[in-house]
């Protein structure tokens, strides 16, 4: 452990800025604890365990979840791919293993750094509704039409291509490929996959998969 900490003093400076409290903060302390606690939890005999300075990349999600970050299956696959693509000659150990520093770097690279509250999402939704100039077929007020939703995704902020938008909608709706042979970039396919109007609760519960904020105790 002491050797690991000595290595971190020289090699970790570039990354410590992104940790709460820096090199001496609580976040790094917890990462160290979980890095080794996972080895204890998976040991046949915890009383005689010999700690390793490495963690198998296939198990990297467990200490991350202990930190409150729950990587998706796709993110875990990407992490494993990144570790397998390293130069084994340069790192000096099998590509299935990662050091504590590599573990922390993965954690920092993948953990969302933007903390959003339900109120922040509500404000963003209300702003999109104000921008909505399309005809609402149901005559409802304070709801977003699918045409405006798609228009904003394609033309405002970090603009999405048709293919990127198709992937997002397909992922959120858990549907198959929206395109059909010879259809090209037909935006009507995106519209057809969405309901005519998107209420705030629909976006939160049906698209994002969160609990209905109006039903929370």
């Amino acid at each position: 452990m002491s050797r690991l900490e000595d290595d971190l003093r020289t090699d970790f400076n570039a990354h410590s800025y992104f940790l709460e409290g820096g090199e001496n903060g609580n976040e790094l302390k917890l990462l160290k604890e979980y890095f080794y606690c996972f080895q204890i939890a998976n040991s046949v005999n915890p009383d005689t365990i010999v700690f390793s300075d490495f963690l198998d990349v296939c198990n990297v999600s467990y200490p991350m979840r202990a930190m409150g970050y729950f990587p998706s299956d796709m993110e875990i696959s990407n992490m494993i791919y990144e570790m397998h693509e390293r130069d084994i000659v340069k790192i000096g150990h099998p590509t299935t293993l990662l050091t504590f520093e590599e573990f922390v770097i993965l954690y920092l690279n993948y953990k969302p750094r933007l903390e959003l509250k339900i109120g922040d999402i509500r404000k963003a939704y209300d702003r999109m509704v104000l921008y909505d100039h399309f005809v609402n077929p149901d005559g409802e007020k304070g709801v977003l039409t699918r045409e405006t939703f798609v228009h904003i995704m394609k033309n405002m902020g970090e603009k999405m291509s048709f293919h990127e938008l198709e992937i997002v909608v397909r992922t959120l709706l858990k549907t198959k490929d929206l395109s059909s042979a010879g259809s090209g970039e037909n935006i009507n396919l995106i519209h057809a996959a969405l309901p005519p109007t998107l209420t705030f609760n629909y976006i939160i519960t049906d698209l994002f998969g969160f609990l209905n904020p109006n039903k929370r105790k």
Side-chain angles (χ1 to χ4, degrees), residues 25-170:
N26 190 54
E27 189 170 16
L28 182 59
K29 179 181 177 181
L30 287 175
L31 285 168
K32 290 178 184 177
E33 290 181 0
Y34 291 136
F35 185 84
Y36 288 99
C37 283
F38 176 79
Q39 297 182 37
I40 297 175
N42 286 273
S43 173
V44 176
N45 189 350
D47 294 330
T48 59
I49 184 174
V50 177
F51 287 106
S52 170
D53 289 338
F54 302 101
L55 179 69
D56 193 295
V57 66
C58 295
N59 297 322
V60 73
S61 64
Y62 297 106
M64 287 188 179
R65 287 169 181 156
M67 291 294 296
Y69 163 52
F70 296 82
S72 65
D73 291 342
M74 179 63 72
E75 288 173 323
I76 294 172
S77 297
N78 289 339
M79 292 178 194
I80 294 174
Y81 176 78
E82 286 182 26
M83 294 298 100
H84 277 278
E85 286 299 300
R86 294 171 299 172
D87 189 335
I88 192 171
V89 176
K90 292 182 179 179
I91 63 176
H93 60 77
T95 56
T96 56
L97 302 179
L98 71 161
T99 64
F100 176 74
E101 182 186 15
E102 289 171 325
F103 162 67
V104 174
I105 292 173
L106 275 182
Y107 169 78
L108 289 174
N109 284 344
Y110 281 89
K111 178 188 175 183
R113 307 311 299 177
L114 182 62
E115 296 183 1
L116 287 177
K117 298 180 180 179
I118 194 73
D120 298 324
I121 302 176
R122 178 80 220 197
K123 289 179 181 178
Y125 176 84
D126 290 340
R127 291 188 66 180
M128 288 192 290
V129 170
L130 289 175
Y131 179 82
D132 197 333
H133 301 300
F134 288 89
V135 177
N136 183 339
D138 298 324
E140 297 178 83
K141 294 183 179 180
V143 297
L144 185 67
T145 61
R146 62 189 176 192
E147 288 80 8
T148 292
F149 176 76
V150 171
H151 177 77
I152 290 175
M153 295 298 103
K154 287 183 81 278
N155 300 287
M156 301 180 69
E158 296 185 11
K159 304 177 182 63
M160 292 184 179
S161 67
F162 175 86
H163 180 62
E164 290 171 331
L165 183 57
E166 181 187 24
I167 292 174
V168 169
V169 172
R170 188 175 68 236

Side-chain angles (χ1 to χ4, degrees), residues 170-217:
R170 188 175 68 236
T171 301
L172 290 175
L173 297 178
K174 299 179 177 61
T175 61
K176 296 181 179 179
D177 198 333
L178 302 179
S179 61
S180 58
S183 64
E185 296 187 0
N186 187 349
I187 202 66
N188 290 327
L189 293 171
I190 302 291
H191 291 163
L194 295 167
T197 57
L198 292 82
T199 65
F200 177 71
N201 284 342
Y202 172 82
I203 290 177
I204 291 296
T205 58
D206 292 72
L207 292 187
F208 292 168
F210 297 134
L211 293 175
N212 189 328
N214 294 329
K215 293 184 179 180
R216 290 182 177 178
K217 295 181 180 180

